[in-house]
Amino acid sequence: MRILIVEDEAKTAAFLTKGLKENGFSVDVAENGVDGLNSLEQVDYDLAILDVMLPLLDGWSILSVLRSKDIQTRVLLLTARDSVEDRVKGLELGADDYLVKPFSFSELLARIHTLLRRGTATEIQKIKCADLEIDAIKHRVTRNDVRIDLTPKEFQLLLLMARRPGEVLSRTVIAEQVWDMNFDSDTNVVDVAIRRLRNKVDDPFEDKLIHTIRGVGYAFEQRK
Ligand code: CA
């Protein structure tokens, strides 16, 4: 995963770079808005962390140019003040998330993990499979137009599988993506969660969408 940090404060940039590298990301830094925009136009980054106040070109402008050119790199904005207008402006311009300075590194890392898991803003937000519909923005799941209530983890699990239809997902991959855990031994938690999910999503219906792939993991697809 490759991240671009656009930040003119050298100390902050160095601190973020160090922390992100320690967490396995490859990191580039641009010290002003023009360099940042150039890099984002040339390189396909998984995420851009944009400071709003930057020399030459501010974070808002970078974001606005990117989106106008249909470059959908995920963007996390760093703002110096927490105001509703700033938030709305950022989201309207197409930011995926924002953080208010000062923030803790662990909070930044958590946001990054969520963003990278979530996919780009333009990724299909409504997923349909048979009579099942998922609205990824509203966190709403229905089958046959009847709403199904899921816990946040169940929702994440369903969304992960539904975004990769037909693909066999191992328990380890599911555990990492949904629980942020790296565990080789106890993937039982995945089986339990799948059972609960099936209970809500599949059991009451004729058309089963969650399939067990013996010895490997699970797959989501309509089979007829
Ligand atoms: Ca700045």
Side-chain angles (χ1 to χ4, degrees):
M1 290 286 183
R2 197 163 175 193
I3 297 180
L4 179 71
I5 300 170
V6 189
E7 167 65 89
D8 57 312
E9 292 151 45
K11 266 189 185 172
T12 310
F15 163 74
L16 295 180
T17 303
K18 183 169 175 284
L20 291 172
K21 282 186 174 168
E22 283 170 1
N23 281 277
F25 294 99
S26 66
V27 182
D28 295 326
V29 177
E31 292 169 5
N32 66 62
V34 170
D35 288 351
L37 180 59
N38 285 339
S39 299
L40 286 163
E41 285 175 333
Q42 283 158 22
V43 180
D44 187 17
Y45 286 98
D46 295 294
L47 176 74
I49 300 174
L50 303 184
D51 188 27
V52 169
M53 300 305 290
L54 289 167
L56 305 180
L57 192 66
D58 65 27
W60 308 121
S61 307
I62 298 175
L63 178 59
S64 148
V65 173
L66 285 181
R67 296 308 188 234
S68 73
K69 293 188 172 178
D70 204 27
I71 298 171
Q72 297 298 340
T73 306
R74 276 158 279 204
V75 168
L76 175 75
L77 284 175
L78 303 180
T79 70
R81 56 189 193 130
D82 189 11
S83 77
V84 175
E85 300 92 84
D86 281 10
R87 260 185 253 180
V88 171
K89 187 176 176 185
L91 295 175
E92 277 178 354
L93 287 172
D96 296 276
D97 203 353
Y98 71 95
L99 264 181
V100 179
K101 290 179 171 180
F103 51 83
S104 71
F105 184 76
S106 59
E107 185 174 9
L108 175 72
L109 197 59
R111 298 289 186 92
I112 290 173
H113 280 139
T114 304
L115 278 178
L116 293 179
R117 211 162 36 217
R118 199 162 78 194
T120 63
T122 49
E123 223 172 60
I124 304 164
Q125 299 294 356
K126 289 195 179 172
I127 298 167
K128 286 186 185 184
C129 185
D131 56 358
L132 178 113
E133 284 187 40
I134 303 171
D135 186 323
I137 292 181
K138 293 180 183 162
H139 278 220
R140 223 182 123 91
V141 178
T142 59
R143 271 200 89 162
N144 214 358
D145 293 328
V146 177
R147 180 148 187 191
I148 299 170
D149 283 316
L150 299 179
T151 66
K153 286 295 175 199
E154 289 165 351
F155 181 81
Q156 265 190 50
L157 177 59
L158 178 65
L159 194 59
L160 170 70
M161 293 197 295
R163 278 193 166 142
R164 295 155 76 167
E167 193 179 323
V168 181
L169 298 171
S170 70
R171 289 175 177 80
T172 309
V173 164
I174 294 174
E176 281 173 6
Q177 301 269 320
V178 178
W179 284 270
D180 250 336
M181 289 192 242
N182 294 298
F183 55 102
D184 305 317
S185 50
D186 186 18
T187 43
N188 188 37
V189 61
V190 174
D191 296 327
V192 172
I194 290 272
R195 204 176 307 140
R196 292 210 183 109
L197 185 61
R198 267 185 169 145
N199 190 20
K200 293 179 179 178
V201 167
D202 265 353
D203 290 352
F205 305 92
E206 195 184 337
D207 218 355
K208 309 300 178 198
L209 301 174
I210 300 167
H211 307 279
T212 305
I213 314 299
R214 205 169 283 276
V216 188
Y218 297 96
F220 180 93
E221 66 182 339
Q222 185 178 20
R223 291 181 179 170
K224 278 204 165 169

